[in-house]
Amino acid sequence: MSSTEPALGGWAPSAVHVPVLLDRVTELLAPACAADGAVLVDATLGLAGHSLALLRAHPGLRLVGLDRDPDARAEATRRLTDAGVADRATVVPAVFDELPGVLDRLGLTEVQAVLFDLGVSSLQLDRPDRGFSYAADAPLDMRMDPSAPRTAADVVNTYPTDRLARVLRVYGEERFATRIAQAITRERERAPFTHTERLAHLVRASIPAATRRTGGHPAKRTFQALRIEVNDELGVLERALPAALDALTVGGRIAVITFHSLEDRIVKQTLAAGAVDRTPPGLPVPLPEMGPTLRLLTRGGEAPSEAEVAANPRSASARVRAAERIRRAA
């Protein structure tokens, strides 16, 4: 089946899938992927775009790809097979905070590279039936793993007003969180929310007209917040990053692509903590066992170029941070 033929229940992948920050990510991870037998863990495999580029560039590289979404795994496997690199890839149904268990089952004590490409994938956004987008009416779902028990409809229809407002305020950074939550609570008494369009219209009506004229679609922040809550995205990330760093061999590298400030803050703080010398103040020389375990490879979160954003507007909010392990923790 060619890449332009419909796949996955009518979803048609684009003929050329160009991942966000592809050139920079492959450049950052290349030194760790070059040796024969090196292992790359793509913790958020998605459509396998970054991994395919690295497998093609490094013939001795092996891939362990994790994804909770069965549609993503199926499409990634198809692409890896079509590219002739499937024999060097192991695709695992897992959430990325399950990384230690996955590596243990595969008999891997260390890996050379780890990649996280966070957020919602193109496949999930472009399939209306998954309910991630406010651009088309669809069931209010938003589960990255369709077998998971909690949907966005469950959150919207069952959370008390104050809890719902907190989700919107913290995960969506929504100024009008309380106002929107109160409107949702009133409306769900009339009829439960089942589809995205009704919720998007309600959010729009709940936000002052002057605010609606700027900052994109008024429902963007609410939908982001619900998606993060449904999939426990920040909790998973807080658990997964330390585990990924622990798995890196000395000289190994990690790259993390984020799409909003909440993710980026977690990544920034985690990598920065590993790059600090913890020798107690007042000692005449640094203690080797207290020295940094990481070397930062990027200056802050690096953004895509203007040309990339023009070609792919979805990349506009992306940022990449990367680090290299320089020693094992004592």
Side-chain angles (χ1 to χ4, degrees):
M1 181 166 57
S2 75
S3 60
T4 55
E5 291 175 333
L8 302 177
W11 178 76
S14 60
V16 180
H17 170 66
V18 181
V20 170
L21 290 159
L22 177 63
D23 291 344
R24 185 57 174 143
V25 166
T26 52
E27 176 188 19
L28 287 164
L29 294 182
C33 295
D36 282 352
V39 176
L40 163 69
V41 173
D42 189 336
T44 51
L45 185 62
L47 299 180
H50 296 97
S51 291
L52 271 172
L54 286 161
L55 286 166
R56 286 169 173 150
H58 305 288
L61 180 66
R62 295 169 54 203
L63 168 69
V64 176
L66 282 61
D67 207 294
R68 70 176 92 183
D69 188 332
D71 289 347
R73 294 196 303 272
E75 180 60 17
T77 299
R78 184 185 74 84
R79 289 171 182 250
L80 292 164
T81 301
D82 288 351
V85 296
D87 60 326
R88 292 191 278 133
T90 302
V91 178
V92 183
V95 185
F96 48 81
D97 65 346
E98 299 175 74
L99 176 61
V102 170
L103 296 182
D104 185 60
R105 290 195 298 275
L106 295 175
L108 295 169
T109 57
E110 292 183 325
V111 301
Q112 284 65 44
V114 179
L115 171 65
F116 290 86
D117 182 5
L118 301 173
V120 62
S121 73
S122 296
L123 182 151
Q124 290 161 342
L125 281 173
D126 292 339
R127 289 192 62 189
D129 60 297
R130 300 296 296 273
F132 285 97
S133 175
Y134 41 76
D137 195 27
L140 195 53
D141 193 320
M142 301 193 194
R143 291 173 295 176
M144 291 180 177
D145 175 358
S147 68
R150 181 176 57 185
T151 68
D154 294 328
V155 173
V156 168
N157 290 318
T158 66
Y159 277 25
T161 306
D162 57 348
R163 185 179 179 189
L164 185 56
R166 183 182 181 279
V167 167
L168 302 185
R169 182 169 53 254
V170 175
Y171 295 160
E173 300 178 291
E174 173 57 72
R175 283 193 296 152
F176 302 101
T178 299
R179 192 167 173 168
I180 294 168
Q182 289 172 341
I184 289 172
T185 304
R186 288 194 301 270
E187 276 296 301
R188 73 190 187 193
E189 291 300 318
R190 186 172 64 85
F193 285 87
T194 60
H195 281 68
T196 56
E197 186 175 54
R198 181 180 168 216
L199 178 62
H201 286 168
L202 178 70
V203 173
R204 181 181 183 85
S206 301
I207 293 175
T211 304
R212 293 201 301 263
R213 289 193 283 269
T214 60
H217 197 289
K220 177 180 179 179
R221 290 176 295 276
T222 293
F223 273 59
Q224 171 184 296
L226 292 173
R227 191 198 80 219
I228 290 172
E229 174 70 7
V230 166
N231 297 290
D232 187 27
E233 292 178 36
L234 300 185
V236 169
L237 180 60
E238 288 174 335
R239 295 187 292 274
L241 271 180
L245 292 171
D246 285 345
L248 276 184
T249 187
V250 174
R253 293 186 168 202
I254 184 170
V256 187
I257 303 172
T258 63
F259 287 87
H260 57 76
S261 61
L262 300 173
E263 295 171 336
D264 187 57
R265 189 177 304 127
I266 292 170
V267 176
K268 175 183 178 180
Q269 291 173 349
T270 303
L271 297 186
V276 171
D277 188 320
R278 299 190 179 278
T279 298
L283 292 186
V285 293
L287 298 176
E289 67 273 18
M290 301 297 287
T293 58
L294 299 177
R295 177 173 68 92
L296 301 182
L297 301 173
T298 51
R299 298 187 63 178
E302 294 186 7
S305 66
E306 292 182 4
E308 180 173 355
V309 174
N312 178 15
R314 286 179 181 171
S315 71
S317 63
R319 299 292 183 270
V320 63
R321 294 179 186 270
E324 178 182 12
R325 177 171 286 285
I326 57 175
R327 74 169 184 88
R328 278 279 169 201

